[in-house]
Structures are given as structure tokens and as C-alpha cells.
Amino acid sequence: MKSLQRRLWEAVEPLHAVVYFAPETAAAAKAAGLPGWWMGYFAGRVAPLGPVPEPPVTAMLFGFAPRMVARSLPDAWEYAEPAVVLRSRMDAVEAALGRILPADAPFEELADLLEQAVIGCDFAARPLAAAWSSVARPASAAARVWLAATVLREHRGDGHVLSAVAAGLRGLDTTLTHIGTGAITREVIQINRGWSDDDWDESVGRLTGRGVLDGELRLTEAGIALRQRIEDETDRLATGPLEALGTGGAAEIERIAVPLSRRIFDDGAIPLPNPMGAPRP
């Protein structure tokens, strides 16, 4: 049975993740002066932090190979200031949600609920979520929905990193335990995270040595237990927003967000499978 925390993530994640696939986002990054898609991705993802270099970004986005981040940062800030990147990204995702979702979508009601959930976030040791929480509240309800959804998903994501590190896993190791569940494949994730074949083999060696993966890259019993501990801890660290909402508020978010998120998938705005491992709710 899925936890309420995971159900909330599945309901809301597509409202955030549309930013990674929408043509409006790529066009906005190019218009801001960023010459490549991945430069737009990394600069856009961390823009609220200011002109940060590669090492702290690799630490926060530890599922990515350091060399992949280094190809974009800090060079991106020579092309566009963080404030310009942030503004263009917000405008782009507002346009994308307006294109994909119906004009009468209940953005105002959903924005109020998601912002209530954000009040319950504890940002200790969560730099990416904390940075996005500092972004000024947008004027439009659609942009408010996206921003609040972003804070919540980065809050959960930062917690997931904390959980994985506490379990003794590195970034690629954590990804391989996800692949071991069957939720995503190597073909989907490796090219999108920048790991070389040598990196991959090294990580497989670590995990098989720990008894986490078998020879077919499937989770062993010990691996299943380890993965479950990480997911349980990730959920535990994501309880603050639910406490702020109460059971009724969480149910309301599911009621409103799930049909919108399904519409995003059904429109083809997010592929299945995807690098986030997000299912159609």
C-alpha cells in the first residue's frame, strides 16, 4: 500500500515535471542566451541559488555525473544571470501549463492548498527546496501551482538524497537500486544522467559486493530491504507538508491534482517511462 506521502508526490510531480519536457522551456532558455538544452536544465534548476559553480550543484543533484554538471556550470552564468534564467523559466512553465491544461482548471484552489503544504516544509539540510521557497509568489494561479509543486518536490528530493547518503549510497548507486526495482531502465537513465560505462560497472561492483544487486542487476532480498528503508525514510522526512495540510487537505490535493496530472501524461507532455520514475497517477 502506498504511503500518503508518496501518493501526494505522484499526484503533484507531473505539475512540476512538465518544465523538463515542454518546448516553451527550451525556447525560453535559448531566448535567455543559454546555448544548450542541458545548460538550460541545470541553470534553470538551481537559478534561485544564484551563480553557483559545479561542486555544490553536483552535491545537491547527486544523481548526475559531476562531469555532466561541469559542462554547464558555471559557464551558464556567463551567458545569462540567474534572475533572467529564473524569470524566463517561470514564464515558460506558466505558458506550458496554460497550453496543456483546460482554461477552467482549478489553479487557484490548488495553489492555495499547495502553498499551505509548503508552510509545513522544514528546510534544514535541504538547500534546493529552501532556495525555491525564497522565490517571490507569482501573480498567476498557474505559476503559483508550479512554484509550490516545485518546492514540495525538491523538499522530498532533498530528503531522498539525505536518506540515500545515510544508507551509504552514492548517486549512481541510488539510481541502480531504482533500476533494480524495474521502475526505470538503464537505457532511459544513463544518457540522461551522464554516467559512463566505467562509472556504471564500478557502481554495479560496489552494490553486488554489498549483496544489494544480483548478477542480473535485480535487487536481492537485502537490496529490496535497503531500498524500502530509503523510501520509508524519504516518506518520513516528507511528513511536514501533510501535517500542515491535514488529511482533508491532502485528499483535496489528490482530488484536484490527479486529473490534471493525468491530462499532462495523456497529452504526451511527459513521457512514460521517464527519468524521474514518475508514474501516471
Side-chain angles (χ1 to χ4, degrees):
M1 183 176 179
K2 292 178 182 177
S3 67
L4 186 53
Q5 294 96 324
R6 184 165 187 87
R7 281 165 44 199
L8 188 65
W9 172 74
E10 289 184 0
V12 174
E13 172 71 5
L15 294 165
H16 160 81
V18 69
V19 72
Y20 303 129
F21 306 99
E24 290 90 344
T25 307
K30 185 176 181 180
L34 299 173
W37 191 94
W38 280 108
M39 186 174 283
Y41 172 90
F42 288 113
R45 184 97 183 264
V46 303
L49 287 159
V52 286
E54 173 266 320
V57 176
T58 296
M60 287 180 280
L61 309 183
F62 91 148
F64 286 90
R67 71 177 69 85
M68 187 172 186
V69 182
R71 285 198 290 267
S72 295
L73 298 175
D75 291 356
W77 312 126
E78 298 295 322
Y79 294 99
E81 295 180 356
V84 173
V85 175
L86 177 60
R87 185 169 59 251
S88 67
R89 195 170 184 83
M90 295 288 293
D91 290 345
V93 79
E94 180 181 348
L97 289 174
R99 170 178 57 82
I100 297 165
L101 298 176
D104 60 350
F107 288 128
E108 193 82 36
E109 184 180 358
L110 183 56
D112 289 342
L113 287 163
L114 293 175
E115 287 167 354
Q116 180 65 32
V118 167
I119 292 172
C121 290
D122 176 6
F123 296 114
R126 289 178 169 95
L128 199 52
W132 279 102
S133 75
S134 71
V135 174
R137 186 176 187 253
S140 84
R144 286 172 54 206
V145 165
W146 183 82
L147 179 58
T150 297
V151 175
L152 291 170
R153 75 93 64 173
E154 299 296 12
H155 179 267
R156 182 179 176 87
D158 285 344
H160 186 65
V161 171
L162 291 171
S163 302
V165 171
L169 297 181
R170 305 180 191 184
L172 180 52
D173 298 344
T174 306
T175 298
L176 280 169
T177 67
H178 198 185
I179 290 172
T181 68
I184 54 174
T185 65
R186 177 174 182 169
E187 291 72 25
V188 168
I189 206 70
Q190 185 173 6
I191 192 172
N192 285 290
R193 294 295 181 264
W195 300 104
S196 69
D197 290 339
D198 287 343
D199 295 329
W200 206 270
D201 292 343
E202 182 181 344
S203 182
V204 168
R206 279 194 299 273
L207 294 178
T208 53
R210 284 182 61 175
V212 172
L213 292 178
D214 64 18
E216 301 297 321
L217 299 188
R218 295 173 300 205
L219 291 176
T220 62
E221 287 189 15
I224 291 170
L226 175 64
R227 182 75 195 186
Q228 190 61 53
R229 287 199 301 274
I230 292 171
E231 292 299 329
D232 289 346
E233 181 67 3
T234 299
D235 285 346
R236 187 188 69 79
L237 292 172
T239 56
L242 289 176
E243 291 172 352
L245 283 168
T247 304
E252 277 297 285
I253 287 180
E254 280 194 285
R255 180 185 68 81
I256 298 170
V258 165
L260 299 179
S261 290
R262 287 175 178 167
R263 175 77 171 257
I264 288 170
F265 274 108
D266 294 345
D267 184 76
I270 297 176
L272 275 175
N274 51 72
M276 305 87 62
R280 180 183 182 274

